[in-house]
Amino acid sequence: MQKNNNKSWPIAVFAALVLIGSYFAIQRGFDDLDDKLVEYERFEIAPTFELPLQKLVKPDSLAGKKNVTLADLKGQTVLLHFWASWCAPCREEKPILAELVKKYQDGSMIVIGVSSYETEVALRGSGMLEDAPFTVLLDEEGTTAVSYKVRAIPQSVLVDGEGRVRYRVKGQLNSQEIAALDDVLKNLQTEKKASTAAVNL
């Protein structure tokens, strides 16, 4: 019996190594899939929408419109910021949003607030609309939030001038996310210059 046990332990060790190797191979596969999904999500086409305009700050091209569509924003890099007046974290990030709007007042990025899951009466009665330093649209039923895969607010989605999703911030904006946004915007500027140079060849 002792001799049989001595013969069986190398087999057990080999089987264990195979299982461990398989686990890590599968895990790498999942990691690769996650990376591909993230990459796809970053460049997917932004869903269309048509929402009532509640407040206009920028861009001036929206002046006189009652409803705003994604097509109205073509050619502009836009940060769609999903929020609501009843959302405590949304109130807390007001200062950093104001700084972000000021930082990009040259129009290289336009912040548009999408007030979701609340009525116009609630929004206007909250005082948040008057305080917002950016254009505000109303997504009363949350339909646009759902189409943009926003499962909780606040959340921000960066859409480039071609209507592609380029970056997401899940949760409150902070200094790290602002720095990441800056990098994405720099890359967009580089892409735009390269595209313009190619057209002029």
Side-chain angles (χ1 to χ4, degrees):
M1 291 294 294
Q2 185 65 34
K3 184 179 289 186
N4 288 338
N5 286 339
N6 289 339
K7 289 181 178 180
S8 63
W9 77 262
I11 297 174
V13 170
F14 177 77
L17 290 173
V18 169
L19 287 172
I20 292 171
S22 299
Y23 167 80
F24 284 109
I26 292 171
Q27 189 63 43
R28 280 196 301 272
F30 280 126
D31 290 342
D32 291 343
L33 179 59
D34 285 343
D35 290 341
K36 289 176 181 177
L37 287 173
V38 168
E39 191 70 14
Y40 167 76
E41 187 177 72
R42 282 181 56 223
F43 293 95
E44 68 180 319
I45 300 301
T48 59
F49 60 78
E50 182 175 356
L51 297 171
L53 179 64
Q54 303 298 304
K55 179 178 182 177
L56 176 60
V57 177
K58 282 186 178 182
D60 296 336
S61 58
L62 299 181
K65 290 185 176 292
K66 291 184 177 180
N67 295 308
V68 174
T69 67
L70 182 63
D72 293 328
L73 302 167
K74 187 174 182 179
Q76 313 251 20
T77 299
V78 178
L79 185 70
L80 296 174
H81 181 65
F82 292 87
W83 63 293
S85 64
W86 48 262
C87 165
C90 300
R91 290 179 176 273
E92 292 171 0
E93 68 179 352
K94 282 169 59 179
I96 198 165
L97 270 168
E99 290 178 14
L100 185 64
V101 170
K102 185 177 181 180
K103 184 174 185 177
Y104 290 100
Q105 60 185 344
D106 62 350
S108 54
M109 182 185 74
I110 295 171
V111 178
I112 293 186
V114 183
S115 180
S116 304
Y117 304 107
E118 68 179 333
T119 65
E120 182 178 348
V121 172
L123 173 61
R124 292 188 178 279
S126 67
M128 290 277 282
L129 184 63
E130 290 78 5
D131 293 342
F134 43 74
T135 292
V136 178
L137 309 178
L138 182 63
D139 179 28
E140 187 168 341
E141 300 297 325
T143 306
T144 299
V146 170
S147 70
Y148 275 80
K149 304 176 185 177
V150 175
R151 296 178 176 84
I153 54 175
Q155 187 169 150
S156 303
V157 181
L158 185 70
V159 179
D160 68 18
E162 299 300 317
R164 298 170 298 180
V165 174
R166 302 301 293 261
Y167 193 70
R168 291 178 182 271
V169 179
K170 297 180 179 180
Q172 285 178 289
L173 287 163
N174 54 43
S175 57
Q176 289 80 12
E177 293 292 359
I178 297 297
L181 271 173
D182 290 342
D183 289 340
V184 174
L185 290 166
K186 288 176 183 176
N187 289 337
L188 286 176
Q189 288 295 324
T190 301
E191 288 177 17
K192 189 173 182 179
K193 289 177 181 178
S195 178
T196 301
V199 170
N200 292 332
L201 286 177

